[in-house]
Amino acid sequence: MVGSVSPAARSAAAAITTVPLPRRPLDPDDRIRGWYENELGWTTVPGSPVRLSVGERFDVLDVPAEAGFAALRRLAPESPVAVRGDRMRLLVAAGGAEEVPGILQWLEWGAVPLDLTAIGAGGTVEAPPPPARLPDRDQGRAPGPRRPGPVQGAAVWLRPPVAGCEVEASLPTMSAWGAAGRAPDLVRLVDTLATHCHRVRLRRACAQPLAFS
């Protein structure tokens, strides 16, 4: 019959209409942002690269990596730590950044120039990509410290946070001062960091060539 469509033609047309449209490639920033917001419940800052909002769930101490490695024993095994090049970022309890200047004064480090930066409320830090090998959730803790190979540019997790676990319980805080058990203590951590930051500064100063006028 004129104008009729054969069954074969109808089948071909149906096949064409059911072919899904090609998907847009997943933006790496979307994957990173989704992991932090959906798996960890951390707040990210719009933009690229992805950055983490500081001061809500945690504060950050930024120090030379050499000093940071020496202070890892002052942290709980599951306390998150990131590295970026020759810098280390240690997470501490929210509000800890405000306490650092007073702690340094009390420990008599206030007059000493230290390469130690405390980042608190209103600050941001670069969000390291989710680790390729996630921690064992059954154990509820991240793997122990391991010195990563040379990292160019981007931040990476040395001790990644564990999805499904409350990060606050593992972070150094002032309230742990004098507490029993293995509660991480912010004062001892800052004292250790200050000591090793000072050693790093002196070592670097001695390595500088003398200037002659």
Side-chain angles (χ1 to χ4, degrees), residues 60-76:
V60 175
L61 301 184
D62 184 295
V63 297
E66 183 178 347
F69 275 111
L72 290 182
R73 61 188 176 87
R74 294 296 185 187
L75 301 177

Side-chain angles (χ1 to χ4, degrees), residues 1-212:
M1 181 181 295
V2 177
S4 63
V5 180
S6 68
R10 286 197 298 270
S11 177
I16 293 174
T17 57
T18 57
V19 173
L21 296 174
R23 293 184 177 182
R24 180 176 64 87
L26 181 63
D27 189 332
D29 285 348
D30 290 342
R31 174 177 173 268
I32 295 173
R33 187 174 293 107
W35 186 70
Y36 282 104
E37 294 184 349
N38 301 328
E39 297 292 329
L40 300 177
W42 294 6
T43 303
T44 63
V45 178
S48 182
V50 179
R51 299 187 69 81
L52 301 174
S53 178
V54 179
E56 298 178 18
R57 302 286 301 275
F58 55 84
D59 287 355
V60 175
L61 301 184
D62 184 295
V63 297
E66 183 178 347
F69 275 111
L72 290 182
R73 61 188 176 87
R74 294 296 185 187
L75 301 177
E78 63 274 18
S79 185
V81 177
V83 291
R84 185 179 189 275
D86 62 352
R87 307 291 299 180
M88 181 176 289
R89 291 168 178 167
L90 303 94
L91 273 60
V92 299
E98 297 180 3
E99 303 286 351
V100 169
I103 293 173
L104 291 173
Q105 288 288 347
W106 182 68
L107 294 171
E108 300 184 352
W109 285 108
V112 180
L114 300 171
D115 190 6
L116 190 164
T117 301
I119 306 171
T124 65
V125 293
E126 179 185 345
R133 176 181 174 274
L134 293 177
D136 186 347
R137 294 190 184 188
D138 294 334
Q139 295 181 356
R141 56 186 290 180
R146 178 179 61 84
R147 291 177 183 263
V151 178
Q152 297 296 329
V156 295
W157 284 113
L158 176 68
R159 290 180 174 179
V162 180
C165 295
E166 291 296 327
V167 69
E168 289 83 355
S170 70
L171 301 182
T173 176
M174 284 288 292
S175 62
W177 176 258
R182 299 176 61 247
D185 173 53
L186 182 62
V187 175
R188 291 188 175 90
L189 174 63
V190 171
D191 189 31
T192 302
L193 287 173
T195 299
H196 288 278
C197 283
H198 183 55
R199 291 175 181 173
V200 170
R201 187 182 70 85
L202 292 178
R203 189 177 303 116
R204 291 175 178 175
C206 292
Q208 294 293 327
L210 297 176
F212 295 96

